[in-house]
Amino acid sequence: MMRTRPLKVALLGCGVVGSEVARIMTTHADDLAARIGAPVELAGVAVRRPSKVREGIDPALITTDATALVKRGDIDVVIEVIGGIEPARTLITAAFEHGASVVSANKALLAEDGAALHAAAEQHGRDLYYEAAVAGAIPLVRPLRESLAGDKVNRVLGIVNGTTNFILDKMDTSGAGYSEALDEATALGYAEADPTADVEGFDAAAKAAILAGIAFHTRVRIGDVHREGITEVTAADIASARRMGCTVKLLAICERAADGQSVTARVHPAMIPLSHPLASVREAYNAVFVEAEAAGQLMFYGPGAGGSPTASAVLGDLVAVCRNKLNEATGPGESAYTRLPVSPMGDVVTRYHISLDVADKPGVLAQVATVFAEKGVSIDTVRQQGKDGEASLVVVTHRASDAALSATVEALRKLDTVRGVASIMRVEGE
C-alpha cells in the first residue's frame, strides 16, 4: 500500500541540473511515487538569484536562505547541486544533523572531504548518495559500491570528462589545433567560459579519486591523484599517435598494485590503440572500463554531463534514498577497510612516446640510445627524420617507471645534440 504522506525534498541549486531535476520531479510525479511507494514533494528550492524566472517552479518555493531550508526538520531528502566546497559542505552536514539524507552531484567536495561527509551521515543514520558526481547518467558508482561488492576490482580506466574528449576528438578528426577545438567546444556549450577545471584535469582527477576510493575500499583524495591536462597536446602529437595506429585521450586510471599492497590514481593524456574500445568514444561522451577478478572486463558508456543526463542520475539516487527512508534503513556507506597507501606517480610503470628535436648528424641516435640504456629504459621503436641540419627523433619505450623516464629525459636534455624535448606522452591500453 502506498503511503499518502509525501516525502519532502529540498533542492539546493536550480541551474542547468537543478532545474531539470525539478522539472522531472513535477512531470513524472506519479511514476516516481509508484516506484518509491510514496509521493515526493518539492518543499523548497534554494537559489542565489531569486528574481530569475524559473519555469514550472512555484515562486513560493524559492528561497535564498539555504541554511534555514535544510534545518527545517521536516525535510526528508536534500538534493545538492550547487557544487564547490563551501557552502555545500556546511549545508550537507546541517542536513544530516536535522534528519535529512543527501543526494549530491558534488565531485569536488566528495573528492576533497568524502570521508568526513560519510562519517557525518553514519553518525546521524542518514544516506549519502552521489551517482551524479561521476560520469553523468552512466551508472557507475552504484555498480562499484553494490553490484561488485563481492568481487575484487583491480583497475578502473576511462574517459570521464566530456569537454576534453570533445576537444581531443576534434583535433583528431579535423586536424584542428587545441585552441580551435576549444573554441568550437565553447561555442557548442561543451566548455565553460573558464574551462580550467576541465582542460587542466581537475574535474577528471576528482572523479578518479572517488572511483579509486570505492573500487579499492580505501581513502583517496584529489590531492593523491597525479594530474595533467590537455593544454600541451599539439596537432603534432595527434599526428604521431595516428602514425602509431593510436589516438589521444585524457584518461583517468586507477590501479591496484600487482602485490595488492598499494594503489595508484592518475589523470593524463595518453595514446591508446585504435583497436581499443575507448578509442571510438567520440565527442562529449564518457566511457569507463572496470577490470575485476571474477567479473572480468566491464564497460560503461554514455553521456557524461549535461542537465538531463545528470538529473537522471540524481533522480535514481532520490528513488533509492526515499525507498530506504520508507523502510527505515540506509544504503551502503563508506568502505575504507583496506587502508591502502596511494603510491606516487614515480612508481607507475607504463610505455612512453618521446619526441626529440636533435641535430641532423651521425651518431645522434647512438648517443640517445646510450642514455636510455644507462637509465634502464628499454626502447621499443625509433623513428628519425630530418634535413638542413635539424631532425626529429621519436622514441617509443617498453614499460618503464615514471621515475626512470624522468631521469632519462633529464639526461637527454644535457646532450649537445638534443636541441629540445618536443613532447612526452604515455601509451596505455596495450
Side-chain angles (χ1 to χ4, degrees), residues 29 66 70 77 135 158 178 186 193 214 217 243 289 315 334 353 385:
V70 301
V77 184
Y178 168 78
T186 304
I214 299 170
H217 303 278
R243 284 192 288 269
F289 265 90
L315 288 160
E334 182 189 34
H353 174 282
Q385 60 184 23

Side-chain angles (χ1 to χ4, degrees), residues 35-326:
R35 294 165 191 171
I36 292 168
V40 288
E41 173 189 310
L42 190 58
V45 182
V47 301
R48 287 183 296 177
R49 296 185 294 275
S51 60
K52 181 180 178 181
V53 176
R54 293 171 172 86
E55 187 176 347
I57 298 177
D58 183 352
L61 297 177
I62 301 296
T63 178
T64 58
D65 194 343
T67 301
L69 178 60
V70 301
K71 289 183 176 181
R72 271 177 37 176
D74 64 335
I75 299 296
D76 295 292
V77 184
V78 169
I79 296 175
E80 183 272 309
V81 289
I82 56 178
I85 305 301
E86 289 291 358
R89 174 167 48 199
T90 299
L91 292 170
I92 289 173
T93 302
F96 293 141
E97 292 171 351
H98 288 79
S101 291
V102 173
V103 172
S104 176
N106 196 331
K107 52 190 168 286
L109 177 57
L110 288 159
E112 177 64 31
D113 214 17
L117 295 179
H118 276 293
E122 183 177 0
Q123 178 186 351
H124 296 286
R126 304 302 166 193
D127 273 324
L128 174 61
Y129 276 51
Y130 44 90
E131 184 68 66
V134 181
I138 305 172
L140 188 57
V141 171
R142 193 171 291 119
L144 284 172
R145 280 213 300 189
E146 300 177 34
S147 303
L148 294 173
D151 208 338
K152 182 180 180 182
V153 176
N154 291 317
R155 193 173 194 234
V156 179
L157 165 74
I159 298 164
V160 295
N161 183 272
T163 301
T164 52
N165 198 59
F166 180 90
I167 292 170
L168 292 173
D169 181 48
K170 289 303 174 184
M171 291 176 71
D172 185 30
T173 56
S174 70
Y178 168 78
S179 296
E180 297 169 274
L182 174 59
D183 288 344
E184 184 174 355
T186 304
L188 292 172
Y190 291 127
E192 301 286 347
D194 179 1
T196 303
D198 293 318
V199 299
E200 294 292 357
F202 290 101
D203 174 85
K207 295 170 181 176
I210 295 169
L211 291 174
I214 299 170
F216 307 135
H217 303 278
T218 196
R219 287 179 179 168
V220 180
R221 299 178 65 183
I222 190 168
D224 298 319
V225 181
H226 173 83
R227 175 191 55 80
E228 299 172 30
I230 66 166
T231 55
E232 300 301 319
V233 177
T234 66
D237 293 327
I238 302 292
S240 290
R242 274 285 171 187
R243 284 192 288 269
M244 289 177 57
C246 294
T247 189
V248 177
K249 299 291 185 182
L250 183 73
L251 298 181
I253 306 171
C254 311
E255 295 177 305
R256 189 192 300 267
D259 62 7
Q261 299 304 303
S262 64
V263 299
T264 59
R266 50 196 165 105
V267 167
H268 54 71
M271 296 180 179
I272 57 173
L274 294 174
S275 58
H276 194 285
L278 289 179
S280 62
V281 178
R282 304 289 305 280
E283 299 198 332
Y285 277 76
N286 286 190
V288 178
F289 265 90
V290 176
E291 299 176 10
E293 282 196 356
Q297 285 192 338
L298 307 172
M299 183 173 175
F300 301 83
Y301 171 83
S308 293
T310 306
S312 171
V314 168
L315 288 160
D317 279 350
L318 176 64
V319 169
V321 169
C322 287
R323 286 172 175 171
N324 291 343
K325 180 79 173 182
L326 292 178

Side-chain angles (χ1 to χ4, degrees), residues 316-393:
D317 279 350
L318 176 64
V319 169
V321 169
C322 287
R323 286 172 175 171
N324 291 343
K325 180 79 173 182
L326 292 178
N327 292 324
E328 298 182 347
T330 55
E334 182 189 34
S335 175
Y337 72 92
T338 62
R339 297 182 175 87
L340 296 173
V342 182
S343 296
M345 187 62 189
D347 293 346
V348 171
V349 175
T350 188
R351 297 178 67 206
Y352 289 87
H353 174 282
I354 305 103
S355 179
L356 305 172
D357 294 327
V358 299
D360 186 17
K361 61 182 184 180
V364 173
L365 179 56
Q367 284 185 321
V368 169
T370 297
V371 170
F372 275 87
E374 289 174 346
K375 300 302 179 182
V377 178
S378 176
I379 292 175
D380 181 17
T381 62
V382 178
R383 185 177 69 252
Q384 184 175 11
Q385 60 184 23
K387 61 181 180 178
D388 301 326
E390 298 295 331
S392 64
L393 192 65

